[in-house]
Amino acid sequence: MKYLERILAVGATCLLAACAATNPGGHAPSIDGIEIVNRSSSDIESFRLAVPRDGIVVTANRLAQGSRSLNKVEPFRYRHNNANLRWFQDGVKYTMEGLKLDHEVESADAMTVVIELGDKGEAATRRR
């Protein structure tokens, strides 16, 4: 009987550890939108964002100074997703690899990630 109890205890421990490893802190929210905001003092051209892990690509031919573009995407799970960006600004090509799209959130609701582009290749993210 003790042998069976040990097997059950080990099995239960393994199951709980597996659940904790795949879903820490509860349900992870999904990202269902990516908004690009041009906060720079010039237009942005040929913008491209790619999230290779999830196969997401968002493009914009031209973003005028002060404008924004909201792009709905096929929802993908928040899980330390990194994005690669590329764009032209004042004739200069900018690239950024490994931009974090994650933000610590409490709920499992879908969220929109906002990418704000500034002058001279500055980019930052926040959630909405």
Side-chain angles (χ1 to χ4, degrees), residues 53-128:
R53 183 174 181 173
D54 298 288
I56 303 295
V57 175
V58 172
T59 62
N61 289 331
R62 184 178 187 91
L63 283 167
Q65 175 187 0
S67 69
R68 62 184 60 227
S69 172
L70 177 59
N71 305 274
K72 288 297 187 182
V73 295
E74 187 68 32
F76 60 100
R77 285 280 167 215
Y78 162 103
R79 55 181 187 199
H80 307 292
N81 309 70
N82 291 323
N84 300 324
L85 309 176
R86 149 182 110 204
W87 71 96
F88 286 87
Q89 188 175 3
D90 291 328
V92 177
K93 180 180 180 178
Y94 292 99
T95 60
M96 180 177 287
E97 293 188 12
L99 181 70
K100 296 274 187 219
L101 295 184
D102 314 12
H103 294 276
E104 295 302 320
V105 294
E106 298 295 323
S107 77
D109 297 335
M111 67 180 180
T112 295
V113 172
V114 179
I115 298 172
E116 296 179 336
L117 301 172
D119 288 317
K120 300 189 191 295
E122 297 169 355
T125 65
R126 64 181 171 86
R127 68 182 176 97
R128 177 168 60 94

